[in-house]
Amino acid sequence: MTDQTTSTRFPHDIIEQWAGLGIDLPQLFSAGALGTRMGVQVQEAAPTRVVGTLPVEGNTQPYGLLHGGASAVLAETLGSIGAMLHGGPQKIAVGVDLNCTHHRAVRTGTITGTATPVHAGRTSATYDIVITDDHGKRVCTARLTCALRPAAPNGTTDTTDTTNTTSSTNTTNGTSPAAH
């Protein structure tokens, strides 16, 4: 497996935007521990396009086919990176909705995902992620929406929500009223 922290290509303006913050940009915008374990490689990253790959080998379900969850990991990784880059250093992206439609089975090779923005707003970003096989055939279509939240003052990615200290649950079906 290639070292993810040195292989991601970032546009010059993104590197300058994050320079001097004491943040390891390639590490922050890597696939994280789960992505590393699954072999995700982020090849290029910009707010307008994020591309990455994932090997099929080691990410299959019992029938020997690519596991749908592996496609979801690739999709959420790429969309989240795009949303974080869109939000800039003052915001963090937190996934709030992911859906994946699986079009065809894959048994071998590498899948490639390309995330592009559908909506890039002030408080949310939505990315379409198209995942293809080695032959360019679509394997999965995904859409990820991320909330863009203020970064913690010390530059960390603290996602603790201190704005809502009470919880309201609908007793009929156990869901939050916001879900209705």
Side-chain angles (χ1 to χ4, degrees), residues 49-135:
R49 177 178 151 97
V50 182
V51 178
T53 60
L54 179 135
V56 173
E57 183 178 344
N59 293 308
T60 57
Q61 38 96 316
Y63 300 113
L65 305 173
L66 176 68
H67 196 291
S71 295
V73 166
L74 180 61
E76 186 155 2
T77 298
L78 301 178
S80 293
I81 290 170
M84 282 287 287
L85 289 170
H86 163 69
Q90 296 78 29
K91 299 211 176 170
I92 60 168
V94 180
V96 295
D97 183 62
L98 172 67
N99 67 66
C100 299
T101 300
H102 306 286
H103 305 293
R104 71 179 59 243
V106 181
R107 291 184 180 274
T108 61
T110 300
I111 58 172
T112 300
T114 302
T116 55
V118 175
H119 167 75
R122 184 178 50 81
T123 60
S124 69
T126 299
Y127 280 75
D128 276 343
I129 304 96
V130 174
I131 299 175
T132 58
D133 64 13
D134 288 331
H135 306 288

Side-chain angles (χ1 to χ4, degrees), residues 4-66:
Q4 289 174 252
T5 61
T6 59
S7 61
T8 305
R9 291 185 311 272
F10 294 93
H12 183 69
D13 62 321
I14 295 296
I15 293 169
E16 283 191 2
Q17 182 184 25
W18 290 77
L21 298 176
I23 296 172
D24 180 349
L25 186 64
Q27 182 59 37
L28 180 62
F29 296 112
S30 71
L34 176 61
T36 299
R37 196 167 29 259
M38 295 181 70
V40 173
Q41 296 289 312
V42 179
Q43 297 172 330
E44 63 181 84
T48 56
R49 177 178 151 97
V50 182
V51 178
T53 60
L54 179 135
V56 173
E57 183 178 344
N59 293 308
T60 57
Q61 38 96 316
Y63 300 113
L65 305 173
L66 176 68

